[in-house]
Amino acid sequence: MDLKDDKPRHEHNTLNFPEGFLWGAATSAFQTEGNARDSDWWHWEQIFQPPEKRSGRAADFYHHYPQDFKIARKLSHSAHRLSLEWSRIEPRNGEFNQAQIEHYQKMLKSLREKNMQVMLTLHHFSNPEWFAKLGGWTNSKSSFYFERFIKKIVPEIAPLVDFWVTINEPGIYAHSSFVAKQFPPQKKNWWLFIKALWNMSLAHKKAYKFIHSILPQAQVGIANGVVSFDIFHRHSILESLTQILADFFTNHLFYFFAPKKYHDFLGLNYYTNQYISFNGESRLPNLVDITKTKKEVSDLGWEIFPEGIFDIIMDFSDYHLPIYITENGIASTNDDRRVRFLLSYLHEIYHAIQTGAPVKGYFYWSLLDNMELYRGFGPKFGLIEVDFKTQKRTIRPSAYVYKEIIKENGIPHKLLKLLGHGIAVSDVLNELRQQ
Ligand code: BGC
């Protein structure tokens, strides 16, 4: 892409984001709502997960959403990304539950009433149990089942949605379910991975066409789980080639199956960077275990690597489509780290925009602490802390830092101070509020 001629930088001013930039947070139904008893995850958890890692009531978002959206609005969020739980809407093959459809209509309306833009994910990792029993996404009829669901639900909620994410992280989903043995059905079979990813690409194309047939102006895309890759040895051709392949298979394969004409925007979920290293003794696969280096990692062992989001955004700019950061966040019990994470990643996004990248919005993962998939409730991603016993919500200081950014539509220079360690968030926030 062309690099724009840069104006001189005034780093002491607010680092402004483009007008109309969307600011919000993301959630997913299964991880927050609780009691999704007709889903494959629920069934799997009862057998394979210890009790403390089962979703149970989760953050009881199913009942608490009015309060949670109210907090999000109070925190100045102008948009929210959330998902539908397919298994509630179609608990049995071909049988739709109208009461649950009305529930989601109410939920989406409550965002509308708060003047928040809605980005809706139609599939975020969990499936109805009946669908999983038929082989889930490896079944050659899976895209037909998904299309039938889309044809039912989309007309019911069409006026309440601004952005449609058909599928969350198809590549990560297919890999975690059919290769890495992390998500149900915990298989390890590359052929199933390819089948699932291919079927998801068919499902996406069908959904794309259907949504556009009833809403010609609709904005439809996916939320792609992306990873930046780096190498330890710049002279190593083997590492460089592996880097290219890892980047293609992780980040771009889905767009090869469902090309650009089926996407109105690119949704990017970026969390971390991975290193490839061949030291002469080791063989493929060769991703470095970053926790064994001295690099800074999150509570999940994921490297904190803000530059990676700049690199990823610049790379994806070549598709010439609007970009939304549909997820980015840190698992940490130390909220000061979340503040530094947020500022440093947004700083890089700012630089990518200055360089010419069409980034239009940012959704922090997550609004709430939630059930971190197969890892349970330990990892804390939320801007809002949730006590899972009492369901009490407590707003974390990082949420107020984010609020200042949203209010300014940019990063006030004073906040950049917080990138230094040991600087009290409350002092800087008070200083800003007094201005
Ligand atoms: C997923 C979320 C998940 C987050 C952190 C993303 O891959 O979309 O559902 O909670 O990463 O693991």
Side-chain angles (χ1 to χ4, degrees):
M1 67 167 302
D2 295 338
L3 296 186
K4 278 192 185 157
D5 224 351
D6 241 350
K7 293 182 211 106
R9 292 215 196 106
H10 297 286
E11 292 283 26
H12 291 286
N13 296 338
T14 294
L15 306 181
N16 290 315
F17 279 62
E19 217 176 292
F21 194 85
L22 292 187
W23 297 103
T27 50
S28 91
F30 189 76
Q31 293 173 265
T32 53
E33 289 181 352
N35 286 321
R37 290 164 187 271
D38 290 311
S39 81
D40 60 342
W41 270 84
W42 180 277
H43 283 256
W44 170 79
E45 283 172 345
Q46 311 313 310
I47 303 169
F48 296 104
Q49 288 283 74
E52 70 282 5
K53 287 191 179 173
R54 295 180 194 156
S55 55
R57 288 169 69 207
D60 196 24
F61 186 66
Y62 188 85
H63 298 107
H64 282 70
Y65 75 85
Q67 172 194 346
D68 294 336
F69 290 161
K70 215 164 142 189
I71 301 177
R73 194 62 194 128
K74 206 176 95 190
L75 291 169
S76 299
H77 293 199
S78 57
H80 186 71
R81 175 176 170 231
L82 73 168
S83 76
L84 299 178
E85 178 55 44
W86 180 6
S87 66
R88 286 192 202 283
I89 297 169
E90 192 181 357
R92 248 76 41 222
N93 190 351
E95 269 177 40
F96 293 92
N97 182 328
Q98 199 56 33
Q100 297 298 338
I101 295 178
E102 282 161 23
H103 169 83
Y104 282 115
Q105 285 169 333
K106 260 172 69 189
M107 200 175 203
L108 297 169
K109 262 191 207 140
S110 97
L111 286 169
R112 268 276 176 278
E113 284 158 12
K114 294 179 179 57
N115 275 326
M116 290 167 76
Q117 297 262 305
V118 176
M119 182 176 276
L120 185 72
T121 309
L122 299 165
H123 183 275
H124 194 127
F125 293 163
S126 59
N127 302 295
E129 171 66 358
W130 63 261
F131 176 83
K133 277 197 171 141
L134 294 173
W137 288 99
T138 63
N139 183 322
S140 55
K141 278 181 76 187
S142 51
S143 66
F144 157 82
Y145 295 125
F146 187 69
E147 187 185 23
R148 187 179 65 186
F149 161 61
I150 295 300
K151 286 188 167 165
K152 174 70 187 168
I153 191 67
V154 171
E156 301 264 10
I157 54 176
L160 303 171
V161 176
D162 302 289
F163 299 88
W164 303 86
V165 170
T166 56
I167 301 179
N168 181 65
E169 300 190 346
I172 304 271
Y173 170 82
H175 188 265
S176 307
S177 308
F178 299 108
V179 180
K181 297 168 89 176
Q182 290 167 333
F183 295 3
Q186 291 189 294
K187 295 264 164 64
K188 186 177 171 61
N189 180 332
W190 281 99
W191 175 234
L192 294 182
F193 163 83
I194 288 289
K195 263 179 49 182
L197 194 66
W198 174 249
N199 286 329
M200 287 182 134
S201 74
L202 295 180
H204 169 77
K205 288 190 256 190
K206 288 179 178 172
Y208 183 92
K209 283 189 202 147
F210 176 71
I211 298 172
H212 273 276
S213 74
I214 60 165
L215 298 165
Q217 305 304 322
Q219 293 288 305
V220 185
I222 62 160
N224 187 16
V226 291
V227 176
S228 54
F229 291 95
D230 215 335
I231 57 178
F232 269 6
H233 309 103
R234 302 279 151 175
H235 58 268
S236 164
I237 293 174
L238 192 57
E239 285 181 16
S240 299
L241 283 176
T242 311
Q243 183 188 25
I244 292 171
L245 289 176
D247 174 57
F248 175 76
F249 283 104
T250 311
N251 298 331
H252 298 279
L253 185 59
F254 192 84
Y255 301 105
F256 186 71
F257 288 171
K260 184 181 157 178
K261 67 173 183 176
Y262 295 105
H263 301 263
D264 302 307
F265 64 87
L266 301 173
L268 303 178
N269 295 356
Y270 180 78
Y271 287 89
T272 194
N273 181 62
Q274 289 192 329
Y275 287 97
I276 292 154
S277 171
F278 289 89
N279 57 16
E281 291 153 24
S282 47
R283 299 151 44 117
L284 268 171
N286 214 320
L287 294 174
V288 173
D289 177 356
I290 202 72
T291 56
K292 296 204 171 117
T293 69
K294 297 286 177 202
K295 301 217 74 168
E296 196 191 348
V297 296
S298 75
D299 290 356
L300 289 178
W302 298 355
E303 187 187 358
I304 311 297
F305 191 69
E307 302 89 315
I309 203 164
F310 176 90
D311 296 346
I312 281 283
I313 291 171
M314 295 323 295
D315 182 37
F316 275 90
S317 295
D318 286 350
Y319 284 94
H320 299 288
L321 284 173
I323 294 175
Y324 292 86
I325 304 303
T326 35
E327 285 180 34
N328 173 235
I330 181 174
S332 182
T333 48
N334 176 344
D335 195 55
D336 285 356
R337 299 191 71 205
R338 193 173 341 275
V339 169
R340 285 199 294 279
F341 181 97
L342 192 58
L343 285 168
S344 54
Y345 280 70
L346 285 174
H347 200 192
E348 291 294 331
I349 295 171
Y350 167 79
H351 286 306
I353 295 171
Q354 293 296 303
T355 313
V359 187
K360 308 286 181 198
Y362 177 84
F363 294 84
Y364 177 81
W365 181 271
S366 177
L367 181 65
L368 306 162
D369 286 343
N370 56 46
M371 210 276 299
E372 176 46 27
L373 307 166
Y374 61 96
R375 300 181 183 95
F377 292 94
K380 306 294 182 200
F381 274 99
L383 292 170
I384 303 170
E385 181 187 339
V386 177
D387 177 328
F388 294 105
K389 286 210 179 76
T390 60
Q391 296 300 344
K392 183 171 178 283
R393 272 60 173 157
T394 309
I395 302 173
R396 293 197 165 107
S398 54
Y400 290 112
V401 169
Y402 190 34
K403 179 179 181 176
E404 292 300 324
I405 295 170
I406 302 174
K407 274 178 19 201
E408 285 290 314
N409 194 37
I411 311 175
H413 185 253
K414 284 223 161 77
L415 283 184
L416 290 175
K417 268 194 200 170
L418 292 170
L419 287 175
H421 292 242
I423 295 172
V425 175
S426 53
D427 290 353
V428 177
L429 277 179
N430 285 338
E431 215 181 306
L432 262 176
R433 284 174 187 148
Q434 277 157 18
Q435 277 180 357

